Amino acid sequence: MRDALTVLVSATIIPLSAPTPRRHRRLTSSTTTTKPRPKPNPKTNPQVSTYSPFLTSSPWDNRQSLKYYTEVASKLAENGRFEDFLMILESVVASEVKPSEFLDLLNAKNVASGIVRVIGESKLTSDVEMLFNGVRKLGIEPVQLFDGVSMELLRGECSRLLKCGEVEQLVSLMEILSGFQFQIKELVEPSDVINLCISKRDPTAAIRFAQKFPHAEMLSCSIILDFGKRRDMLSAVTAFEASKQNTSSPNMHAYRTIIDVCGLCGDHLKSRIIYEGLLAGNFIPNIYVINSLMNVNSHDLTYTLDIYKKMEKLGVPADITSHNILLKSCCLAGNVGLAQDIYSQIRKLESEGALKLDVFTYSTMIKVFADAKKWRLALEIKEDMVSSGVIPNTVTWSSLISACTNAGLTDQAMRLFDEMLQAGGQPNSQCFNTLLHACVESCQFDRAFRIFQCWKEKGFQQTITGQMRVTSRPYSLMTVRLPFRPTATTYNILMKACGTDYYRAKALMDEMKTMGLSPNQISWSTLIDICGGSGNVVGAIQILRSMRESGIQPDVITYTTAIKICVEHKKPKLAFMLFGEMQKYQIKPNLVTYNTILRARNRYGSLQEVQQCLAVYQHMRKAGYKPNDYYLKQLVEEWCEGVIQSEHQDKSQFASRLVEFEPQSLFLEKVTKHLQDSAESLSVDLRGLTKVEARIVVLAVLGMIKENFIAGNSIKDDVSIVLGEQQLSSHVDMDASGVNEAVIKLLHHDLGLHVYAAGRDKRNGIISSLKLEEVIERSDSQQTSASPTRRPVVLQRLKVTKESLHRWLRRTGSSTR
DNA sequence: ATAGGGTTAG
């Protein structure tokens, strides 16, 4: 092909105008030599015109030869030989032929195919740019080389690149073309290119492309936001940084957008850093930037308040939106008082004409009170609103209904719904959901289904008259549009309304699917709850399995629900199995989970069960949850006390199966240690424990002693209990002193053991033995800041006599032997 | 260009 062309060029040029041999060489050099050629440049090569074939036949009388040369040029271009093409063009221009004549004769399609070929060969920037620059230098705009057909070719290439996802090629091409007056819109759909860049996670290319448009700032923002919507913070920030490149003053719109994206991606701190960067550059943010920043950080009232206070100093006065966001922040923080203060403050500003409260303000305040169960105050806000002439919208009504629902006022909620309809309010799905939830909360399940049925029957875009009322109050000529669009939430709420009717709930879940809705974690958790609640524990666990199989990952609540079911149906083994499964799937239990599983053991359960509970307790502490004395107390009462006192327990192999605790918590370490120790020379170390923990440890040791006694090993020594240093300052450590009292109460009063104190007098270092009465007395005197005459004894250890232990063992142990 | 409402476990 190339050779054929060489022949063509050689054959045509020589007879026509007798170009110099040099010229000839240059024209064909690309096929005959690999040596770099000098660039043709009319300015530095004045002889170009001298060699122009057209000059020899001036004035131009040979249209045929122009046509011929143009054809050659077209062919050269088609083969990507742009330099040669340019040289012919140079000659044409130099011979004072009008470019339009050349262009008329040019086979535009050939040129376009050449360009398309070069694009395909990825020589885009070097070759095409060279061609276009060359053409432009000769006074022709490159876009003029294209006619309708060739433009279509180019468009085809663009869609090919788009289809193949050649982001870099496509964007580079667009950059070149837009630099030469091509209309990008006529070649590709700009949004297609941007979407490709986004789907290929190429923020830089997206922004490069966007910058070729007059509305680049707006496009950049939508790109940043799109990445944010995909939760791709990194790309969003890259796009944001790229969009900052060619601008001297910052684009506040972009700042606002990236801050919103931080919110979408849950990176509140990043939004603060971006904002601080803006301030550090001595730029004044606009109101949108500040409002977005506050909104993204609305979960941190301290921060939003701080920003709000600084607004005035920045010279950006807070507007109603700023205040609304601040109210939202109060709402999230549950700070009703501050919300009320702000509300009255802005009401005052409104009376001065400085602000105008809007529907957001009132709705947010209503939500503040709704969450705080202050339904009366919520209704008062509604009155404020109406008297200010602000019309409640669906959100306002929903929040009002919620306020009543949260306060348990179902009928009031219903009345509000009626009121909304009468006021011309159009309920939507969320509003219906609120209403349905009100019914469910008050266990008016039938009512919930009736409302749902009504909603359903009125169907899509139908009007109803009077029949929608949910109270007894009749009204006529009511026209309400009720597009029936239940959401997943609707079905979830209705599932709850099934009580323990598992099959009904299951049917609802199926209906949900036929409505094109996917059951979510809440749907499945509810189904598990209902199935278990109907007594079918195994079924509940099977549902948990189906849930995973259907691609929905169970979450903490799902597992906690399932565990609750097992606990309620006295299946501790299953409960612990599920708890273990959670670890396997790396689902972190929360406080509710721990408290639920801790209820799993039965009263007077086996040692293994207790050990499992202790392991859970340890797990809990490890996870950073505060030791829950309440459940530990239950452990004491329901197990440890049982070990000591009960006649009904299973006494077998008490000390044989010992759980292997990791010594993470002091308490568990001690329980473990004492449970594992042999019965010889027992010393119980209670230092650092709370009184409840101390109680368990003491009981565990006693249980141990008892087991050994039953096995025939009786105790040979008094049992020593190390209490630890007591502080003598006026700041008595309440926990530590509580330990002494609790232990003494347990041993002496509850179990009737004989206890004496081995105290070490700090002054003379004598170990003194005291009777219990004295122990208590001195213990008291420590707490009430010792009298000067009686120095308090620094209690270090108690002893329990082996005789009293023997008596106790015979008394309680014999009955079960 | 900004902001708001509904459902699950102890």
Side-chain angles (χ1 to χ4, degrees), chain A residues 446-616:
Chain A
D446 287 349
R447 198 176 196 179
F449 281 108
R450 276 202 307 273
I451 291 171
F452 180 66
Q453 197 56 36
C454 186
W455 178 19
K456 209 175 184 174
E457 278 166 14
K458 298 310 151 196
F460 186 69
Q461 294 213 342
Q462 290 232 336
T463 58
I464 59 156
T465 48
Q467 292 157 13
M468 192 55 222
R469 66 179 198 271
V470 287
T471 58
S472 53
R473 189 163 15 136
Y475 46 92
S476 55
L477 292 170
M478 178 69 56
T479 306
V480 185
R481 295 172 81 187
L482 293 176
F484 178 68
R485 264 182 276 108
T487 63
T489 306
T490 313
Y491 281 99
N492 291 345
I493 295 168
L494 285 170
M495 280 170 73
K496 249 203 121 177
C498 295
T500 54
D501 187 344
Y502 166 68
Y503 292 101
R504 190 172 195 183
K506 181 81 181 67
L508 272 171
M509 201 155 116
D510 292 337
E511 186 182 317
M512 188 174 178
K513 289 174 198 159
T514 64
M515 294 294 292
L517 300 165
S518 318
N520 58 21
Q521 289 170 321
I522 297 176
S523 328
W524 286 100
S525 299
T526 309
L527 196 65
I528 289 169
D529 197 25
I530 292 170
C531 183
S534 73
N536 188 354
V537 183
V538 175
I541 291 172
Q542 273 167 356
I543 295 167
L544 183 69
R545 305 276 170 259
S546 329
M547 176 180 181
R548 197 179 287 286
E549 278 161 24
S550 73
I552 306 290
Q553 298 305 312
D555 64 359
V556 207
I557 298 182
T558 317
Y559 268 101
T560 307
T561 306
I563 289 170
K564 179 199 75 174
I565 294 301
C566 298
V567 170
E568 281 174 354
H569 291 87
K570 307 260 183 286
K571 308 264 191 229
K573 274 187 188 155
L574 278 178
F576 280 101
M577 184 270 291
L578 291 172
F579 188 74
E581 205 174 285
M582 285 180 81
Q583 328 301 315
K584 192 179 113 193
Y585 288 108
Q586 302 190 326
I587 300 164
K588 279 172 76 178
N590 61 23
L591 191 58
V592 181
T593 320
Y594 286 117
N595 289 345
T596 306
I597 189 87
L598 281 174
R599 290 185 306 139
R601 77 278 163 276
N602 296 318
R603 180 173 273 265
Y604 312 137
S606 70
L607 174 66
Q608 198 186 16
E609 280 172 29
V610 175
Q611 286 169 331
Q612 272 181 321
C613 276
L614 290 173
V616 170

Side-chain angles (χ1 to χ4, degrees), chain A residues 689-726:
Chain A
L689 300 182
T690 69
K691 58 182 176 183
V692 178
E693 291 171 341
R695 196 173 158 87
I696 296 182
V697 172
V698 169
L699 285 168
V701 171
L702 292 176
M704 185 84 176
I705 290 168
K706 194 167 176 176
E707 287 299 312
N708 285 321
F709 171 76
I710 291 163
N713 303 314
S714 65
I715 190 148
K716 296 173 184 72
D717 258 320
D718 292 355
V719 171
S720 179
I721 297 170
V722 181
L723 297 168
E725 297 284 336
Q726 287 275 304

Side-chain angles (χ1 to χ4, degrees), chain A residues 129 239 269 422 528:
Chain A
E129 255 186 326
L269 297 181
Q422 293 203 354
I528 289 169

Side-chain angles (χ1 to χ4, degrees), chain A residues 220-379:
Chain A
S220 299
C221 288
S222 73
I223 290 164
I224 296 166
L225 191 62
D226 276 348
F227 280 117
K229 284 180 187 162
R230 290 166 164 252
R231 305 291 129 97
D232 185 350
M233 186 74 199
L234 202 70
S235 301
V237 170
T238 309
F240 170 68
E241 295 295 334
S243 76
K244 288 206 291 192
Q245 290 309 309
N246 304 319
T247 51
S248 51
S249 66
N251 170 9
M252 288 304 164
H253 200 336
Y255 269 92
R256 195 201 74 79
T257 309
I258 190 69
I259 287 170
D260 285 342
V261 165
C262 291
L264 279 173
C265 300
D267 195 345
H268 321 278
L269 297 181
K270 180 75 184 167
S271 72
R272 301 181 190 190
I273 292 166
I274 288 166
Y275 179 71
E276 275 149 26
L278 186 61
L279 293 182
N282 275 325
F283 295 107
I284 311 258
N286 69 13
I287 188 75
Y288 297 108
V289 171
I290 298 179
N291 286 346
S292 276
L293 177 74
M294 294 203 333
N295 188 45
V296 163
N297 289 282
S298 58
H299 286 273
D300 183 348
L301 181 56
T302 317
Y303 185 78
T304 47
L305 262 178
D306 186 50
I307 294 296
Y308 171 76
K309 284 175 191 157
K310 285 174 179 161
M311 287 180 81
E312 199 141 345
K313 282 181 210 154
L314 279 169
V316 186
D319 63 3
I320 190 61
T321 303
S322 321
H323 288 99
N324 291 345
I325 294 167
L326 201 57
L327 286 175
K328 172 188 171 185
S329 198
C330 292
C331 183
L332 289 167
N335 192 333
V336 181
L338 185 59
Q340 283 175 303
D341 289 348
I342 294 165
Y343 180 68
S344 40
Q345 200 181 310
I346 53 178
R347 290 273 287 178
K348 190 165 164 282
L349 285 171
E350 187 181 44
S351 67
E352 294 161 1
L355 272 180
K356 180 82 185 85
L357 273 63
D358 61 13
V359 68
F360 285 88
T361 321
Y362 295 111
S363 302
T364 309
M365 273 314 285
I366 289 168
K367 172 124 169 61
V368 166
F369 291 129
D371 290 355
K373 298 194 196 295
K374 296 180 189 294
W375 64 280
R376 255 180 231 283
L377 290 171
L379 289 175

Side-chain angles (χ1 to χ4, degrees), chain A residues 130-298:
Chain A
M130 186 271 292
L131 170 69
F132 283 3
N133 280 321
V135 169
R136 181 177 267 179
K137 259 182 204 152
L138 296 168
I140 299 172
E141 266 307 320
V143 70
Q144 294 177 280
L145 300 175
F146 289 80
D147 61 3
V149 178
S150 57
M151 210 52 110
E152 192 53 53
L153 263 174
L154 200 55
R155 216 190 330 267
E157 178 63 7
C158 289
S159 56
R160 186 189 69 85
L161 291 173
L162 200 63
K163 214 166 132 190
C164 300
E166 299 279 359
V167 173
E168 184 51 41
Q169 283 289 91
L170 188 58
V171 171
S172 300
L173 177 62
M174 291 304 136
E175 279 182 324
I176 293 166
L177 294 179
S178 73
F180 292 96
Q181 302 183 10
F182 284 81
Q183 290 300 306
I184 294 180
K185 269 192 280 183
E186 286 167 19
L187 294 168
V188 278
E189 172 51 44
S191 60
D192 288 347
V193 179
I194 289 178
N195 288 338
L196 174 68
C197 295
I198 289 169
S199 71
K200 290 268 176 180
R201 282 195 65 179
D202 194 338
T204 321
I207 297 294
R208 268 167 59 201
F209 180 70
Q211 281 171 345
K212 296 299 152 202
F213 293 91
H215 55 299
E217 289 199 348
M218 229 183 75
L219 281 175
S220 299
C221 288
S222 73
I223 290 164
I224 296 166
L225 191 62
D226 276 348
F227 280 117
K229 284 180 187 162
R230 290 166 164 252
R231 305 291 129 97
D232 185 350
M233 186 74 199
L234 202 70
S235 301
V237 170
T238 309
F240 170 68
E241 295 295 334
S243 76
K244 288 206 291 192
Q245 290 309 309
N246 304 319
T247 51
S248 51
S249 66
N251 170 9
M252 288 304 164
H253 200 336
Y255 269 92
R256 195 201 74 79
T257 309
I258 190 69
I259 287 170
D260 285 342
V261 165
C262 291
L264 279 173
C265 300
D267 195 345
H268 321 278
L269 297 181
K270 180 75 184 167
S271 72
R272 301 181 190 190
I273 292 166
I274 288 166
Y275 179 71
E276 275 149 26
L278 186 61
L279 293 182
N282 275 325
F283 295 107
I284 311 258
N286 69 13
I287 188 75
Y288 297 108
V289 171
I290 298 179
N291 286 346
S292 276
L293 177 74
M294 294 203 333
N295 188 45
V296 163
N297 289 282
S298 58

